[in-house]
Amino acid sequence: MTSIKINKLEIENVKRVKAVKIEPSANGLTIVGGNNNQGKTSVLDAIAWALGGNKYRPTQASREGSAVPPHLHIVMSNGLIVERKGKNSDLKVIDPEGNKGGQQLLNSFVEELAIDLPKFMESTGKEKAQTLLQIIGVGEQLAKIEYEEQQLYNQRHAIGQIADQKDKFAKEQDYFPDAPKELVSVSELIQQQQQILARNGENQQKRQQLSQIIQKVENEKQQIESLKQQLFILENDHNLTLLDLEAAQKTAADIQDESTAELEKNIAEIDEINRKVRANFDKDKAEEDAAAYREQYQTLTSQIDDLRQQKTDLLNKADLPLPGLSVSEGELIYNGQQWDNMSGSDQLKVSTAIVRKLKPSCGFILLDKLEQMDMLTLNEFGQWLEQEGLQAIATRVSTGDECSIVIEDGYVKDAENMPMQAFDGDERTFDEKVADGTFKPIDQQQGWNGKGAF
């Protein structure tokens, strides 16, 4: 599609402009220069009004002191002639075949942001990004991916906080390597103690039995001397007793009492032991929980990375209006820089490229206040416009050689020999028309009372 540009424009009595004719370069920058309050911005406001409709009509459209109403005449590269003239500055649009049109025809190829670029440049970073995403047709897909990414990010953030808390808790917990692995039961210790005491009681009974047998042997020895007559009977009993003695001595020599001191100590210290066991349990559990949450965190990180790659792939495949232009985390990015870190030249490049993408049929753009650019940046931007086949009509507080024309007191400075096409088709110069009376200065026009009225 061939983009439509401005071939000629003639402005009379609009704001500070008295009479100006410009034939902008088809490609690149046409700079309207001049000092402050000479009518530079009035030129852009007049173009915006002529092409954008009455919503761009200046509050004080008529030049102060002029009895002649504003008159605008623009010739577009597609042959359309756009005029505003008369008391009400009515719009008139005529195509090359002589057919009449209106604002709707102009709206079909004039992009609103092309004549109101500050509206785009002053919007937020997110609004700029949304504009870009809408025109490249991936806004809805990207919004869905970014929503999923945000949900995962929030989930990962919460899990990461829990994992940190678990780690911190585990590090703050005491650990007792000498403590048992399981909690100690008081009832089990008491039962063990009772069993030992029972066995020790049996041993004591056996010792008492030994003592009794020894005493019995002594008694029997005494009885042997006095009771020889009973020797036969007693010998049998004595032999049996000796056998019992031998067995008892052997058993008594082999047994050894078990100590309950360790159990008694454990029973006394059971609360402290179990406190250590529980502390170890808590520390181990916290470390296990932290590791589990860390694993979940890594899983979510991988999912987030996948979604971010999907975003990158989506934007890489999209038909972006400018190499190096992208969207990251809802912000416009150009060559790795967000809007507020871009140079003035890059901001204008991005804005112009996006405006062109919005409506490719619109081949021109209006720019105000380019004095913020140094000459190097200005030349760089102009070369980029030429390379892209774009037309820009801009203003700059300057009277230097970079200016295509210089406005002075509402006129084009040094325009005596520049053809000034009158609205009636007269091709003579402005001074020629003044000289023969065809066009008179305002203060010489018939009926002028010198006070801004006829």
Side-chain angles (χ1 to χ4, degrees):
M1 178 185 295
T2 303
S3 59
I4 300 169
K5 303 173 184 178
I6 298 172
N7 282 355
K8 297 178 184 179
L9 63 96
E10 297 167 352
I11 307 167
E12 184 179 4
N13 295 324
V14 178
K15 295 182 70 176
R16 292 183 182 274
V17 171
K18 295 177 180 177
V20 167
K21 174 182 177 179
I22 302 174
E23 294 185 8
S25 301
N27 298 314
L29 268 174
T30 295
I31 298 179
V32 179
N35 295 320
N36 288 322
N37 301 320
Q38 299 301 304
K40 303 181 304 299
T41 301
S42 298
V43 172
L44 299 189
D45 290 344
I47 299 172
W49 178 22
L51 300 178
N54 279 325
K55 68 178 178 180
Y56 291 101
R57 180 190 178 105
T59 305
Q60 297 292 332
S62 296
R63 179 173 63 84
E64 185 177 355
S66 173
V68 178
H71 196 154
L72 307 171
H73 182 91
I74 298 179
V75 180
M76 307 301 296
S77 62
N78 61 352
L80 281 182
I81 296 175
V82 181
E83 285 190 341
R84 285 189 178 275
K85 61 182 180 179
K87 182 179 179 180
N88 297 321
S89 302
D90 293 329
L91 175 66
K92 182 179 179 182
V93 182
I94 302 174
D95 68 16
E97 286 74 36
N99 299 315
K100 294 182 179 181
Q103 189 61 51
Q104 188 173 359
L105 176 59
L106 296 179
N107 291 344
S108 67
F109 66 86
V110 176
E111 168 52 44
E112 181 178 1
L113 292 179
I115 56 178
D116 189 13
L117 195 61
K119 181 178 180 181
F120 175 80
M121 297 186 72
E122 293 168 7
S123 63
T124 67
K126 292 190 180 297
E127 288 171 341
K128 293 183 182 75
Q130 284 304 313
T131 300
L132 174 60
L133 294 175
Q134 286 170 9
I135 62 177
I136 62 177
V138 299
E140 186 175 340
Q141 292 173 272
L142 193 64
K144 181 180 178 181
I145 293 174
E146 287 186 335
Y147 175 78
E148 292 178 12
E149 179 187 354
Q150 188 62 48
Q151 294 297 103
L152 289 175
Y153 179 85
N154 293 341
Q155 186 179 353
R156 186 185 70 170
H157 179 69
I159 286 176
Q161 287 183 317
I162 296 173
D164 290 341
Q165 291 169 359
K166 293 291 183 181
D167 279 336
K168 182 180 178 182
F169 179 76
K171 289 175 182 176
E172 290 175 349
Q173 287 296 104
D174 293 329
Y175 192 75
F176 305 94
D178 56 339
K181 296 298 182 184
E182 300 292 336
L183 291 173
V184 178
S185 170
V186 177
S187 61
E188 289 181 1
L189 287 178
I190 293 175
Q191 185 179 4
Q192 291 178 26
Q193 183 187 39
Q194 289 175 342
Q195 290 174 352
I196 291 174
L197 290 174
R199 290 195 296 271
N200 289 348
E202 292 176 359
N203 292 341
Q204 184 61 32
Q205 288 179 353
K206 291 178 181 179
R207 290 189 187 94
Q208 289 176 354
Q209 288 176 356
L210 173 61
S211 177
Q212 291 172 357
I213 292 172
I214 291 172
Q215 183 61 44
K216 185 178 179 180
V217 169
E218 291 299 323
N219 290 338
E220 288 177 351
K221 283 181 179 180
Q222 292 176 5
Q223 290 176 2
I224 289 172
E225 294 298 329
S226 61
L227 299 172
K228 291 289 186 177
Q229 63 275 20
Q230 298 176 6
L231 179 59
F232 180 77
I233 298 170
L234 292 175
E235 279 182 352
N236 290 332
D237 292 338
H238 181 63
N239 289 336
L240 291 174
T241 302
L242 288 176
L243 290 174
D244 290 340
L245 173 62
E246 183 180 358
Q249 286 177 331
K250 185 175 181 179
T251 301
D254 291 339
I255 63 174
Q256 185 175 358
D257 287 348
E258 297 179 49
S259 173
T260 63
E262 187 67 25
L263 282 171
E264 291 169 358
K265 180 182 177 183
N266 287 347
I267 291 171
E269 297 178 353
I270 189 167
D271 289 340
E272 177 62 17
I273 292 172
N274 285 344
R275 183 190 70 79
K276 293 179 179 180
V277 172
R278 290 190 183 95
N280 290 351
F281 281 163
D282 291 341
K283 185 177 182 70
D284 292 342
K285 183 65 167 59
E287 289 176 347
E288 290 173 6
D289 288 347
Y293 281 112
R294 290 294 177 202
E295 186 176 349
Q296 290 183 48
Y297 187 93
Q298 292 302 324
T299 300
L300 290 170
T301 297
S302 297
Q303 293 175 357
I304 290 171
D305 289 342
D306 289 343
L307 287 173
R308 287 176 177 170
Q309 186 60 47
Q310 289 180 38
K311 286 199 304 183
T312 300
D313 293 343
L314 185 65
L315 291 170
N316 287 341
K317 293 175 183 177
D319 183 17
L320 292 164
L322 195 65
L325 187 61
S326 186
V327 173
S328 178
E329 297 180 358
E331 292 286 342
L332 204 64
I333 303 292
Y334 180 58
N335 290 336
Q337 299 296 326
Q338 289 189 3
W339 182 264
D340 56 355
N341 286 329
M342 296 180 199
S343 66
S345 175
D346 281 349
Q347 287 181 347
L348 284 174
K349 281 182 185 178
V350 169
S351 302
T352 304
I354 289 176
V355 168
R356 176 182 57 180
K357 188 71 175 177
L358 274 168
K359 193 167 286 185
S361 58
C362 185
F364 67 91
I365 193 165
L366 307 183
L367 304 170
D368 199 14
K369 298 180 175 61
L370 286 197
E371 59 270 10
Q372 62 181 325
M373 286 192 181
D374 57 38
M375 289 303 300
L376 182 63
T377 305
L378 193 68
N379 289 332
E380 175 189 329
F381 180 56
Q383 291 170 5
W384 179 80
L385 287 168
E386 289 185 33
Q387 172 188 320
E388 297 297 317
L390 289 167
Q391 178 190 65
I393 302 174
T395 66
R396 179 178 172 87
V397 178
S398 171
T399 57
D401 293 340
E402 77 276 15
C403 300
S404 307
I405 63 168
V406 173
I407 302 291
E408 187 175 282
D409 193 25
Y411 294 107
V412 176
K413 185 179 180 182
D414 300 327
E416 290 82 2
N417 298 317
M418 178 181 293
M420 174 87 178
Q421 180 179 359
F423 299 120
D424 57 3
D426 191 343
E427 292 288 347
R428 291 172 297 161
T429 67
F430 177 75
D431 286 348
E432 288 171 342
K433 288 184 283 182
V434 171
D436 68 5
T438 302
F439 181 85
K440 293 181 180 180
I442 293 299
D443 57 0
Q444 297 178 16
Q445 292 184 17
Q446 185 177 4
W448 171 247
N449 63 8
K451 296 181 180 179
F454 287 93

